[in-house]
Amino acid sequence: MSDPDLTTLALGTDLTTLGLNLNSPDPLYKTFGSPWADTPPRPELELLLPACYSVQVARCHLGVFQKFQQETLFYIFYSMPGDEAQLYAADELIARGWGFHKELKAWLMRVANTEPVMKTERGERGSFWIFDVLSWERVRKDNFNLQYDQLEVRPQVLRGGGKDGG
C-alpha cells in the first residue's frame, strides 16, 4: 500500500507517535485528550463542598416514634431497611401490639375484642389484622392460624443509655 491514509486505516497508528508513553504507570487520560487535539486535556477540577452542606444529622430518638401515627411507622419500617429508624419503628409497632410474621413478611395484630378460636402453647387461630403493603391498609383475616415461632423477636434498641430487649 502506497497511500498512507489507507495504511493507517488498515494497520492503525503507532500510539507512541502521538506522544503517549505506553509504559507509564500513570493513567493515559490525563495526558491524552484525543488524536485530534494538539494540546493535553484540561486538568480535572478540584471542587470543595461548601461548609453549609456539611450538616450533622440528628440521630433518631425512641421517644419521637411514640408520637407517630401507625401508617408513619409502617412507612419508616418499609422505606428505611437496615437503618436505625427501621428498628425504632419496629420496636414501637411491637409496643402497640403488632407482630412481624417472618414467613409472610407482614405485620399482624389480633383484632380487638376478639378471642382466639383455638389457642395452644405453640400458636393460636383467630381474627387478625394484617398490614398489606401493596394496598397500604389493614386487611382482616378471620380464622388465621398463627404459629408463635413465626413471629420475629423484638429488636434490641437503646433505651436511656442501656440495652433493653423489651
Side-chain angles (χ1 to χ4, degrees):
M1 284 191 200
S2 60
D3 186 357
D5 291 334
L6 286 177
T7 304
T8 302
L9 283 175
L11 303 176
T13 301
D14 181 11
L15 296 178
T16 56
T17 62
L18 297 173
L20 294 175
N21 180 2
L22 298 179
N23 295 323
S24 171
D26 296 327
L28 294 176
Y29 72 87
K30 292 183 178 180
T31 60
F32 182 71
S34 79
W36 300 280
D38 294 328
T39 59
R42 292 184 292 179
E44 291 182 26
L45 296 175
E46 291 190 27
L47 303 174
L48 298 175
L49 186 65
C52 63
Y53 287 102
S54 299
V55 177
Q56 293 294 327
V57 178
R59 293 193 60 187
C60 299
H61 295 287
L62 190 58
V64 174
F65 286 78
Q66 296 170 352
K67 299 175 185 175
F68 288 149
Q69 293 180 8
Q70 183 173 281
E71 289 77 15
T72 305
L73 293 171
F74 285 127
Y75 174 78
I76 292 169
F77 179 82
Y78 285 109
S79 69
M80 300 180 183
D83 194 274
E84 184 180 34
Q86 184 187 39
L87 289 176
Y88 286 158
D91 184 67
E92 181 59 27
L93 284 167
I94 291 172
R96 294 184 188 186
W98 288 89
F100 189 76
H101 197 281
K102 296 179 202 177
E103 193 174 298
L104 297 176
K105 303 279 190 237
W107 287 94
L108 53 86
M109 164 195 265
R110 185 182 302 124
V111 174
N113 302 321
T114 62
E115 291 297 321
V117 174
M118 181 192 76
K119 187 169 185 171
T120 65
E121 297 174 355
R122 296 173 28 181
E124 63 184 77
R125 187 179 327 138
S127 297
F128 288 87
W129 291 112
I130 297 181
F131 185 77
D132 182 11
V133 181
L134 299 177
S135 63
W136 209 256
E137 64 183 358
R138 294 183 318 169
V139 177
R140 184 175 174 147
K141 299 281 185 181
D142 292 319
N143 208 24
F144 181 81
N145 190 15
L146 171 66
Q147 299 299 315
Y148 296 139
D149 63 348
Q150 287 296 315
L151 290 177
E152 189 67 58
V153 297
R154 189 169 190 164
Q156 298 287 319
V157 295
L158 289 174
R159 295 177 194 277
K163 286 232 176 202
D164 179 19

